[in-house]
Amino acid sequence: MQSQHSLGSNPLEQAGYFKVSGAHLYTVLHGSVDPVARVLLVGPFASERHHSYIPWVRWARYLAARRIECLRYDYRGIGESTGVFENMSFDTWKKDVDLLAGWLESQSPHVPLMLHGLELGALLAAKAFDAGVGDGLLLWSPPASANQALRATLSRRISIEQAFKYGDERKPSSYYIGQLESGGFLEVEGYQWSGRLWQESFGFELPAGMAGEGAVASMSERPLRIVKLDQGMAPLTKGSSVGYDAVNRDFTGLFADNFGWIAQSLGILQEGNSERCN
Amino acid sequence: MNAATETREIVTVTVGEISLRGTYHRSDSPADQSGSKRTGVLFVNAGFLPRASIGDSAVYLADSLAQCGYPSFRFDLTGLGDSDGDVPAPLLDFMNSGGYAPILSATVRELVERFSLSGLIIFGHCGGATSALFSAAITKECTGLILLDPYFFLPVERTKVRAELSHWVSRDRFGALASAVYHFLKHVRLLLRRNRPPSNANLPLIGCWKQLASAGLPILVLKAPALKTRGTKPRVGEFDYLGYLQALAGRNSRIAIEFIESTDHSFANLQGRTAVRHHTEQWLNAVTERRPVLEFAERCEGNVRGSEVECGR
């Protein structure tokens, strides 16, 4: 751990590069004085990152203001992180979760660590949690498999593309999926998806027992919650379209509810503490 | 965690109480060691997207330009990406009225001073192009503009009914016919107006363009294909802003307009980003009158991979 770069007017918000094999992960630590818990935020995949960025940052700031320190980051090969996207795999991205969770935990082992993932990030967080990482898990709209997440992104790309094409120029979904299934590359919103990534996505699934909102309480002794976000939650989650009108959407209700759950489940919302946490 | 990698560094510019977060892509060109001041490039957010832009295309471009000797910066404006502050509401109106110009102008001045640059060229895409134009008009340290798909009208959010209508028009034969008639009537109206900008034209922005272009500020405009049209001309019935603005610019203007095929408005696909880099590098070398030494010319050439561009020509 070396020096980080503080975010100007908020010295507790620090950006940095976390060195991993062959790349640097871009991270932003939303610090808190005397934190009562830590959360590793595992954001959505590739192009979804860009649309959900504003509310995702707001969520991190919301938690940090309530003494829950957060670390958010960009996947290897995506956003501000270095690395070549085409060379990445779900296992690589899963390793990054493990490394960052380990680093965050090492900052103060006496403070509980929660993993929180959104969409594909929920899948990565769930895998890490299933392997024993973290004291709690919060999932927002986890897909059943990585392939489900990729398909949702692909369908959106196809429908946008079709809006600009006519007649025979329009290709059905099977045309694009065929390219991936034959092992080729497909450009999706500026990212080169490989056939290999597509094939791997089928086997990268949510751990058994985490499939539904109601099916989680008994799965683990550690706290676990799954929240399904509907399309009204765009741009935090995929919407039919994300325009300027959605940028400033108020997520206070969602944030308050989930903060309440984190605080309660980690036992940090205690008498005398609740006011400070709120 | 480190604040920098071998080629990138996290930088912050504080303007008043707002801190803007950005990434500096270091250039290790020979010009760095010669002591002569270099021209930098500053990328601003495309609309509300974070500074990496769609498909991380801005990262790719900044890396490429830095390798060719142009120190490059990507910044998040107030409320966007990692920067401080709330998103101005409504954001689109704020951007279209030049709301980001003061803070962007201050950022340009700060970067020029801090990194000993001869000036900064602002790179703006879509809404970012609007902010770039408004800022350049109040910033003498801005020595050029690169504008991707700039727009000079005041767009309004599409209503659900409008979106449904567009969907019908694109799918239905009668819809396509209705659309053709509608655009023909729009074309007739344009002819009757004798090439005057429509009522929703962003006149202050056009004023900035006129001021900058007539003063000879180098401006590169890159256009992606739009619906039912080819080249830089708009579809039938739409006002030809670029044609109008070129005519408005006067004799001293240094405007270059390039059309990029096989891409879309995001310029994020392989063809789009490669072509943007190609045109940008060529244009930068021309406007900065730079003749890169052989090593750098080769590196730039290598970057273009398969295209016929030669850096420095």
Side-chain angles (χ1 to χ4, degrees), chain B residues 4-245:
Chain B
T5 69
E6 293 79 7
T7 56
R8 297 181 200 170
E9 188 181 325
I10 295 160
V11 286
T12 303
V13 167
T14 303
V15 182
E17 294 189 343
I18 297 289
S19 285
L20 302 185
R21 159 62 51 81
T23 306
Y24 166 39
H25 296 249
R26 291 199 201 98
S27 163
D28 57 353
S29 75
D32 284 16
Q33 291 127 34
S34 71
S36 61
K37 289 192 169 184
R38 299 155 300 158
T39 300
V41 180
L42 171 61
F43 293 75
V44 295
N45 305 87
F48 58 80
L49 296 170
R51 64 187 186 274
S53 211
I54 293 192
D56 307 325
S57 52
V59 182
Y60 164 83
L61 290 167
D63 267 343
S64 304
L65 295 181
Q67 280 178 23
C68 281
Y70 299 98
S72 297
F73 305 84
R74 293 178 294 110
F75 265 83
D76 287 321
L77 295 170
T78 316
L80 305 178
D82 295 325
S83 288
D84 282 357
D86 293 324
V87 182
L91 179 61
L92 193 56
D93 294 349
F94 181 80
M95 275 196 307
N96 289 333
S97 60
Y100 276 128
I103 201 162
L104 183 51
S105 175
T107 303
V108 170
R109 288 196 295 273
E110 164 74 20
L111 292 175
V112 165
E113 170 79 21
R114 199 194 297 179
F115 292 89
S116 298
L117 302 171
S118 61
L120 263 174
I121 285 170
I122 309 179
F123 186 113
H125 177 194
C126 190
T130 305
S131 299
L133 267 164
F134 276 116
S135 305
I138 56 168
T139 316
K140 70 174 184 344
E141 291 82 358
C142 172
T143 52
L145 288 170
I146 300 167
L147 309 174
L148 271 62
D149 267 0
Y151 57 87
F152 293 87
F153 57 92
L154 296 169
V156 286
E157 282 284 338
R158 288 182 108 190
T159 60
K160 213 164 184 174
V161 174
R162 179 83 195 275
E164 289 294 326
L165 199 60
S166 294
H167 186 70
W168 172 67
V169 159
S170 69
R171 302 253 165 196
D172 188 280
R173 206 151 43 120
F174 293 108
L177 187 66
S179 170
V181 171
Y182 171 72
H183 281 92
F184 175 73
L185 291 173
K186 276 182 79 177
H187 180 63
V188 171
R189 194 175 66 167
L190 276 179
L191 292 176
L192 293 174
R193 287 178 62 86
R194 294 186 182 174
N195 202 33
R196 271 184 299 152
S199 57
N200 68 338
N202 189 341
L203 296 177
L205 184 65
I206 290 174
C208 283
W209 168 281
K210 189 179 175 187
Q211 175 199 324
L212 296 166
S214 57
L217 185 81
I219 302 174
L220 171 65
V221 177
L222 299 176
K223 278 281 296 166
L227 195 61
K228 286 198 169 179
T229 181
R230 281 182 63 83
T232 57
K233 292 291 173 195
R235 71 184 290 184
V236 171
E238 301 286 338
F239 182 70
D240 182 6
Y241 277 99
L242 285 181
Y244 173 79
L245 292 165

Side-chain angles (χ1 to χ4, degrees), chain A residues 3 7 9 15 17 26 80, chain B residues 1-2 21 56 74 82 84:
Chain A
S3 69
L7 271 174
S9 61
Y17 293 102
Y26 176 76
E80 299 297 325
Chain B
M1 310 263 179
N2 296 313
R21 159 62 51 81
D56 307 325
R74 293 178 294 110
D82 295 325
D84 282 357

